[in-house]
Amino acid sequence: MTVLKPHILWNAVLFLLAAALPCSMRAAEPSAQKPFTVVLDAGHGGKDYGCRGKISNEKTIVLDVAKKIEALIKKEASDSIKPILTRKDDTFIPLDERASIANDANADLFVSIHVNSVAAKSRGREKVHGASVYTVGLHKSEANLAVAMRENGVIELEEDFTQTYQGFDPSSSESYIIFELDQNRHVAQSIEAASMIQERLVSDAGRADKGVLQAGFLVLWATRMPSVLVELDFICNPAAERFLASEDGRKKCAKAIYDAIIAYRTKFSNK
Ligand SMILES: [Zn+2]
């Protein structure tokens, strides 16, 4: 792999960063002193629309779902859960800043919320549908890699992204080798959280089950707690888009994720 100098550098930097983290920062157990903190990360924003549909767009859908989850927490569980939103309005936030918000808050769980799509030229794109929840790791299929490439591609809208991400190229599959190194950081708890969310998106929000998957998402990689990335459904499917664009659909998605956060906190909290 001598041809991959920038990626090796990125590899080395992140590996050293991970190794240098004090144990207290790696530990994911919520402490009894502070409330369980969940970071709700509405993807995209501002100049970055995310996926565009015919009647809606990703950045608007996911912000509304994140705000609905926050409202549910404040109404039903404010004594035990502290929600933090990475953005509260239509603002562009770089990926590394999103992770920093969670790291600085010493959060217990990071939930990044997105809407899926497939390339405009793909056959059957109007038929594909269903929810999936990702944890960070090396992808097992080209389809999973494509989702990570698209979500990571937003860094190209950031100024100085080649410096910030140490030469990581979101569109080069070779860059994704680094995610092999992430196998033992909070993997079990991240998968548990992902499964809890996925289960409820299927049973309570009526989404088809596209599974709990792994792929190399930069935003998850940079967090120091169990973290997941939710793809609610496909905006390129007209029926799924109508659901995501509707108040009722967003409410159902928010409630499903909220219920999963409650279940996760109950399982992993010391209280
Ligand atoms: Zn997205």
Side-chain angles (χ1 to χ4, degrees):
M1 286 300 169
T2 48
V3 291
L4 301 174
K5 276 187 187 154
H7 311 125
I8 287 169
L9 178 64
W10 168 254
N11 249 357
V13 168
L14 287 176
F15 186 75
L16 289 170
L17 275 176
L21 289 178
C23 289
S24 61
M25 293 177 93
R26 288 190 198 176
E29 296 301 322
S31 82
Q33 282 77 42
K34 74 174 188 66
F36 179 92
T37 302
V38 60
V39 171
L40 303 166
D41 174 46
H44 314 279
K47 63 185 173 185
D48 171 18
Y49 279 72
C51 304
R52 294 177 198 243
K54 289 199 167 75
I55 56 168
S56 60
N57 59 63
E58 181 179 3
K59 69 171 184 174
T60 311
I61 294 167
V62 296
L63 178 61
D64 191 48
V65 170
K67 283 183 164 177
K68 281 179 166 42
I69 300 169
E70 182 194 35
L72 279 168
I73 292 172
K74 285 187 170 168
K75 187 167 167 234
E76 311 280 348
S78 59
D79 54 335
S80 56
I81 301 183
K82 181 182 171 192
I84 295 175
L85 266 64
T86 53
R87 68 178 177 99
K88 293 184 170 153
D89 51 27
D90 187 19
T91 315
F92 180 78
I93 315 265
L95 288 189
D96 64 328
E97 214 173 296
R98 294 168 189 268
S100 293
I101 290 169
N103 293 340
D104 292 348
N106 199 16
D108 300 290
L109 182 64
F110 180 84
V111 181
S112 192
I113 304 166
H114 292 258
V115 166
N116 217 338
S117 187
V118 290
K121 59 180 188 294
S122 304
R123 278 174 60 197
R125 73 189 295 265
E126 298 203 339
K127 293 205 173 102
V128 63
H129 66 286
S132 43
V133 184
Y134 284 83
T135 61
V136 72
L138 193 65
H139 53 277
K140 292 191 176 74
S141 78
E142 289 302 308
N144 299 351
L145 173 63
V147 177
M149 280 181 167
R150 182 170 48 70
E151 299 292 9
N152 293 336
V154 302
I155 65 172
E156 291 175 357
L157 298 173
E158 299 176 21
E159 282 172 31
D160 302 327
F161 83 90
T162 48
Q163 277 190 327
T164 309
Y165 302 97
Q166 302 285 328
F168 180 86
D169 177 358
S171 60
S172 156
S173 57
E174 288 159 341
S175 284
Y176 288 76
I177 291 162
I178 61 163
F179 295 104
E180 234 170 348
L181 289 173
D182 204 58
Q183 294 304 306
N184 41 25
R185 280 204 302 157
H186 308 306
V187 170
Q189 272 181 249
S190 297
I191 292 174
E192 187 103 28
S195 306
M196 287 172 165
I197 294 172
Q198 178 67 8
E199 222 175 272
R200 286 160 182 82
L201 283 173
V202 173
S203 64
D204 302 350
R207 302 302 84 202
D209 189 0
K210 301 278 286 181
V212 169
L213 307 165
Q214 289 197 315
F217 294 93
L218 282 174
V219 71
L220 302 184
W221 169 276
T223 59
R224 297 193 205 111
M225 70 285 309
S227 50
V228 300
L229 187 143
V230 182
E231 297 281 1
L232 295 169
D233 210 324
F234 286 80
I235 204 167
C236 50
N237 176 305
E241 183 182 14
R242 278 196 299 280
F243 176 84
L244 294 170
S246 71
E247 176 69 11
D248 184 55
R250 293 178 195 181
K251 263 190 190 160
K252 283 183 175 147
C253 290
K255 180 70 164 63
I257 297 171
Y258 165 78
D259 285 343
I261 291 168
I262 296 291
Y264 179 90
R265 192 204 75 90
T266 305
K267 181 159 185 180
F268 290 104
S269 176
N270 295 326
K271 286 179 224 173

